Amino acid sequence: NGSGKTTLLKTIAGLVAHEGRILAGNEPLHSLPPHGRRIGYVPQDLCLFPHMSALDNVLIGMARSDLDAGGRRARACELLEMLGLDGLAGRRPDQLSGGERQRVALARALASAPRLLLLDEPFSSLDQPTRSRLRGELTRLQRDLALTTLFVTHDLAEAEQLGDRIGTMRGGTLTER
């Protein structure tokens, strides 16, 4: 706790000021505004809009999409289906379980077709069976979408299951494990 994990993710996403460079591959991100970085971000608290349906929460992730309204809706429905939520598209967050809310937030992050997905302790508030199931779903999504993911967790088992490379943060310094 307090090592700077969330700050690191927010910095990569362009949500906090920083000094220095941020590169994705060889492409500089540090000079781009947050919406120009093509990053999907799922914060710890999920930040779902409580007055909006699951579908509308996913659609908001495509606000800057080149797709027309019909294309955005079709893509949002495809993401909800991919995450097993197609029958829940009309429900508000307070009508969903914790795992369902988590999957809506993940669908919203994927809606913009990101090059990089940032996940900040996404499963920390879930019970063990739900965590295990969602880890499997995330592993499948990473593989199917060939999506680079930076996943922050306190759970070593999650890190080992989901990570190709694992790092540890202490006092704002990231070291490879």
Side-chain angles (χ1 to χ4, degrees):
N1 289 337
S3 65
K5 299 178 299 293
T6 296
T7 301
L8 175 63
L9 294 183
K10 287 181 177 182
T11 300
I12 293 168
L15 303 176
V16 297
H18 68 282
E19 293 180 16
R21 298 183 314 148
I22 300 171
L23 303 174
N26 291 324
E27 186 179 341
L29 298 180
H30 55 276
S31 59
L32 297 174
H35 65 272
R37 295 182 184 208
R38 290 194 41 228
I39 292 176
Y41 178 45
V42 179
Q44 279 183 16
D45 63 4
L46 306 180
C47 293
L48 296 176
F49 293 98
H51 63 287
M52 296 172 74
S53 68
L55 177 63
D56 288 337
N57 267 284
V58 175
L59 284 168
I60 205 119
M62 290 187 266
R64 296 183 179 271
S65 171
D66 291 336
L67 298 172
D68 63 16
R72 284 193 299 270
R73 185 176 183 82
R75 176 68 178 146
C77 289
E78 177 186 327
L79 286 166
L80 289 172
E81 183 177 343
M82 183 186 310
L83 290 164
L85 297 167
D86 46 322
L88 307 175
R91 293 191 186 174
R92 291 185 323 274
D94 66 344
Q95 298 169 316
L96 300 171
S97 72
E100 291 164 347
R101 286 191 299 271
Q102 187 64 49
R103 287 182 282 160
V104 170
L106 183 56
R108 183 187 57 210
L110 295 171
S112 63
R115 76 170 110 206
L116 175 62
L117 180 63
L118 306 177
L119 302 173
D120 193 355
E121 299 188 51
F123 308 142
S124 62
S125 64
L126 302 175
D127 60 62
Q128 194 56 44
T130 303
R131 288 173 76 128
S132 181
R133 187 177 75 251
L134 288 179
R135 279 197 307 252
E137 289 181 23
L138 182 58
T139 300
R140 179 186 52 81
L141 280 172
Q142 287 175 294
R143 183 188 64 244
D144 292 352
L145 300 175
L147 184 59
T148 299
T149 305
L150 185 54
F151 183 93
V152 168
T153 183
H154 285 102
D155 185 324
L156 185 56
E158 281 181 353
E160 289 173 343
Q161 180 180 357
L162 295 169
D164 295 325
R165 296 171 61 190
I166 298 173
T168 303
M169 284 199 69
R170 284 194 177 88
T173 301
L174 176 63
T175 56
E176 192 160 359
R177 205 163 177 258

